[in-house]
Amino acid sequence: MSDSRTVSVDLGSRSYDVVIGAGLIAEAADRIGPLLTRPRVAIVTDETVAARHLDALTAALTEGGIDSAALRLPPGEGTKDWANLSRTVEWLLDQKVERGDVVIALGGGVIGDLVGFAAAILRRGVRFVQIPTSLLAQVDSSVGGKTGINAPHGKNLIGAFHQPSLVLADIAVLDTLPPRDFLAGYGEVVKYGLLGDAAFFDWLEANGPALAAGDRGLRTDAVERSVQMKADIVARDETEQGDRALLNLGHTFCHALEAATGYSDRLLHGEGVAVGCALAFELSARMGLCAQEDPSRVRAHLRAMGMATDPTDIAGELPDADGLIALMGQDKKVIDGRLRFVLARGIGDAFVTDAVERETLKTMLEDVLSARAGVPA
Ligand code: GLY
């Protein structure tokens, strides 16, 4: 088998490996075969990913003597709904997927979340393998067992913790991503450096541009480091009673901006995470928690990568500061009516707090909303 790296997610009897390397889809039969009780899998993917990668996956499985059937769902966030969940579950039942079988989620975060949830509830739980095809899914959503769909009330409000049995992060598939999608995923990569590993952030400042330009070795290193950090956090706190909330750095701001932009192409999730991380550092600096230079350094790196750094970089109108704060109040991380933020004492040193004065938050948002695009507030 090809050169690859393996990160273990250590969860007792539910432990599993995340394998990272170029060319893993071609090795699917050897990688997945040992999990199977019979040589048959059901694959759920979306139409865009199917056009790029499904033939390669089914050919590799067939060559290894594994039969497969595939369901192609429409691409996009709108697919994470009840209608597509029931369609998926009923299709899996039509395929006669049994308790001992394995379902494969081939796609980005939407497919991974939806198919993971379908696997969690099908016959009270069947095993599933994640083959994440976006950078965001490789470094975040495919690892850690958060599965679910969206409700009219908000994102990811219906779901379950259901860990995969294996994750195959094929670095070669990142070559086919549109640059905007790759950079959105990079927002989650930067998040890991900012929340817990200053040396990784230094490394990203030095290597980010070459990594974005296509260097597979650097991409493998970045995915491995990100997944290792996530695996360590998930092993400590699988169901987010404590440390796992650190993975939400930038997300309170991001979710408000996503709601304000209608979950549309105006702002991809990873882009919102990047802007949210910059805002979290801006707020931390204003509260005297971290050095004044830290938010400028965060923005400078995102800008060097050609990414949005400030709310003013988002096309179209946004609500005012009060409007954004109201949207933050609808976030599922609100506890007893108090907003919770992940703030930082410095790059690589994040912590969770609800001790943020509304006036400080409001003034910060007013300043960044009125700043000219690209000019630090
Ligand atoms: N994406 C955040 C988490 O998995 O906890």
Side-chain angles (χ1 to χ4, degrees), residues 140 143 146 191 230 240 244 247-248:
D140 185 40
V143 179
K146 280 189 180 175
K191 179 193 79 175
K230 180 147 189 185
E240 200 168 311
R244 187 164 180 165
L247 296 171
N248 297 327

Side-chain angles (χ1 to χ4, degrees), residues 19 27 72 103 147-148 182 231 242 257 260 262 280 294 298 305 353:
V19 187
E27 300 171 1
R72 297 164 179 79
V103 175
T147 73
F182 184 88
L257 293 168
D294 287 345
V298 175
M305 296 297 292
T353 180

Side-chain angles (χ1 to χ4, degrees), residues 253-311:
F253 293 111
C254 170
H255 288 159
L257 293 168
E258 282 184 292
T261 49
Y263 303 99
S264 69
D265 275 2
R266 278 176 65 197
L267 184 72
L268 304 180
H269 176 70
E271 294 171 335
V273 170
V275 173
C277 286
L279 292 175
F281 271 80
E282 180 64 34
L283 183 58
S284 302
R286 288 178 183 227
M287 291 171 64
L289 295 165
C290 71
Q292 296 295 328
E293 298 73 42
D294 287 345
S296 309
R297 198 175 151 200
V298 175
R299 283 197 189 93
H301 178 53
L302 297 176
R303 205 169 294 123
M305 296 297 292
M307 297 169 71
T309 58
D310 295 282

Side-chain angles (χ1 to χ4, degrees), residues 7 9 13-19 31-32 34-36 99-104 116 119 125-131 142-145 162-168:
V7 174
V9 184
S13 61
R14 288 169 296 105
S15 298
Y16 55 94
D17 287 343
V18 182
V19 187
R31 303 273 180 187
I32 297 169
L35 298 173
L36 305 181
R99 203 70 187 276
D101 288 336
V102 167
V103 175
I104 297 179
V126 299
R127 292 170 302 153
F128 78 114
V129 170
Q130 292 265 22
I131 305 185
S142 69
V143 179
H162 185 54
Q163 300 292 343
S165 298
L166 175 69
V167 181
L168 296 179

